[in-house]
């Protein structure tokens, strides 16, 4: 304590807001969206229905769900001019930086408003268009023509169709992949005040519009310690595979205080038990690989790494368990999604959560602009020294 300022690096012990959206019990490994257990939502719901639940607070009636789906379907096209924006990027541009810039530019076409109907329409527009922006940025990066949204496909199937179809022949989205991706999007949909959601709230607290706040959230998510971890996990597993599968060597590196290497996909600020999402994804991995009858050497390495870490004193005493990113990349790989799109899929999943949190922040009369203080450790007051007195 320094006077009235509490030094709390990473805001680990600070409640930055009051929220009714997502509940996490890190000790018990519990995750609920609007009071519904993540296990129930994965078993019975869909990503579109969970998006409605997060944003509006209740499970939709059939009529509400149909109207919500219909609005998402009919707002999935981008303004044709936006295709010019993609042309400016080299193929090497990371899709997360393209996504962040494109979302920010939506403010140009759909300005913010005090009219709640416009504000709500802009949330719908963003949820409808992000998957189109994501798929277009992928097609641009591989030099293939854009595939437009199709109104006859589900949200998830439409995204996969825009990713993998080509104009020259019909493409059927594999039902297994549609189901798997829908579950993954549900699992990523919200997670209370994580780094990127706090960023959305912080930017939004200044009165910046929805698209500016979400664009900032996408940038925060791109870091390897946060959403970028799913891509970093696969890169780590590939490095181990190249290194003869020697996972013990990487486990030792992760424990070495002088080595900056961390076991990607392990550890969590809040979960000091299994991340319930990691449990669900691991179950899904086994189902998918059995159903596909395929084998992935990276999966074998991941399972050995997890087993060794969970029995290792260093990880046990620090309560480090697999998090959502440890196995998600394995599933994206199985679906043929390229590694540099993994964090984009995380952003697509997290979008309804970011929207819900931004809406709650904007509607909360107690919201104040985020402006934390600091513990100053710089120079005390000193007189100016003219240039010729400085050697
Ligand atoms: C996500 O917040 C959320 O909810 C995020 C998220 C969401 O849905 O939004 O769940 C998504 O971002 C999941 C996390 C993905 N990141 C990674 O997998 C990267 C690897 N993990 C770590 O960098 C780390 O565990 C964090 C970033 C996830 C959490 O960092 P903390 O809470 O600040 O923990 P810490 O860095 O203070 O670590 C505590 C100790 C340290 O050792 P000591 O200094 O006490 O000796 O544990 C060690 C760390 O060195 N440690 C690790 C480790 N994670 C922590 N050591 C090796 N490998 C790791 N992965």
């Amino acid at each position: 304590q320094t006077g009235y300022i509490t030094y709390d690096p990473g805001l680990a012990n600070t409640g930055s807001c009051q929220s009714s959206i997502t509940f996490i019990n890190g000790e018990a490994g519990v995750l609920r969206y609007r009071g519904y257990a993540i296990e129930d939502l994965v078993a019975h719901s869909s990503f579109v229905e969970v998006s409605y639940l997060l944003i509006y607070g209740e499970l939709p009636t059939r009529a509400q769900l149909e109207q919500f789906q219909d609005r998402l379907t009919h707002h999935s096209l981008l303004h044709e001019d936006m295709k010019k924006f993609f042309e400016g990027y080299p193929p090497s541009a990371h899709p997360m930086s393209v996504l962040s810039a494109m979302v920010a530019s939506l403010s140009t076409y759909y300005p913010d408003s005090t009219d709640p109907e416009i504000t709500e329409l802009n949330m719908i527009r963003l949820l409808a268009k992000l998957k189109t922006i994501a798929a277009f940025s992928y097609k641009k990066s591989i030099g293939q023509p854009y595939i437009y949204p199709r109104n006859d496909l589900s949200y998830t199937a439409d995204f996969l169709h825009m990713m993998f179809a080509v104009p020259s022949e019909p493409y059927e989205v594999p039902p297994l992949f549609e189901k798997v991706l829908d579950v993954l999007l549900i699992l990523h949909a919200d997670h209370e005040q994580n780094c990127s959601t706090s960023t959305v709230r912080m930017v939004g607290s200044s009165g910046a519009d929805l698209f500016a706040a979400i664009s900032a959230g996408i940038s925060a998510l791109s870091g390897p310690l946060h959403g970028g971890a799913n891509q970093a996990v696969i890169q780590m597993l590939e490095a181990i595979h190249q290194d003869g599968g020697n996972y013990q060597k990487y486990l030792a590196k992760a424990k070495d205080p002088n080595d900056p290497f961390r076991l990607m996909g392990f550890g969590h600020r809040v979960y000091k038990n299994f991340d319930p999402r990691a449990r669900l994804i691991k179950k899904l991995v086994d189902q998918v690989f059995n159903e596909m009858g395929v084998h992935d050497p990276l999966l074998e390495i991941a399972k050995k790494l997890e087993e060794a870490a969970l029995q290792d004193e260093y990880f046990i005493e620090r309560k480090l368990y697999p998090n959502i990113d440890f196995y998600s990349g394995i599933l994206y790989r199985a679906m043929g999604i390229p590694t540099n799109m993994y964090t984009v899929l995380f952003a697509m999943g997290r979008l309804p959560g970011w929207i819900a949190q931004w809406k709650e922040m904007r509607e909360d009369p107690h919201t104040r602009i985020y402006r934390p203080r600091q513990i100053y450790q710089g120079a005390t007051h000193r007189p100016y020294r003219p240039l010729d007195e400085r050697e």
Side-chain angles (χ1 to χ4, degrees), residues 5 15 22 30 68 108 114 177-178 194 196 206 209 219-220 223 247 259 274 294 326 340:
I5 298 172
T22 292
V30 169
F68 186 61
T108 312
T114 50
F177 290 2
E178 178 182 359
N194 58 84
S196 54
S206 75
D209 71 32
S219 298
Y247 63 90
D259 189 330
F274 261 88
V294 295
F326 191 65
N340 69 349

Side-chain angles (χ1 to χ4, degrees), residues 12 24 187-188 190-197 221 223-230 232-233 251 253-255 257 261-272 275 277 314-315 317-318 320 323-326 346 350:
I24 300 175
L187 288 169
H188 286 83
D190 195 53
H191 215 236
E192 61 132 281
Q193 305 311 315
N194 58 84
C195 177
S196 54
T197 299
L221 187 72
L225 295 187
H226 192 12
N230 55 18
V233 167
L251 210 56
K253 276 168 64 69
K255 291 157 56 176
F261 173 78
R262 287 198 160 185
L263 202 57
M264 301 315 277
F266 253 76
H268 199 277
R269 172 65 56 77
V270 177
Y271 289 124
K272 300 307 170 190
D275 181 333
R277 304 166 297 175
Y314 172 95
F315 288 85
E317 71 188 28
R318 290 169 178 78
L320 302 175
N323 59 51
I324 188 168
D325 295 305
F326 191 65
F346 193 138
R350 185 53 50 88

Side-chain angles (χ1 to χ4, degrees), residues 127-138:
L127 194 50
K129 295 178 197 302
L130 192 76
K131 63 177 164 67
T132 310
I133 293 172
F136 277 26
S137 65
Y138 171 62

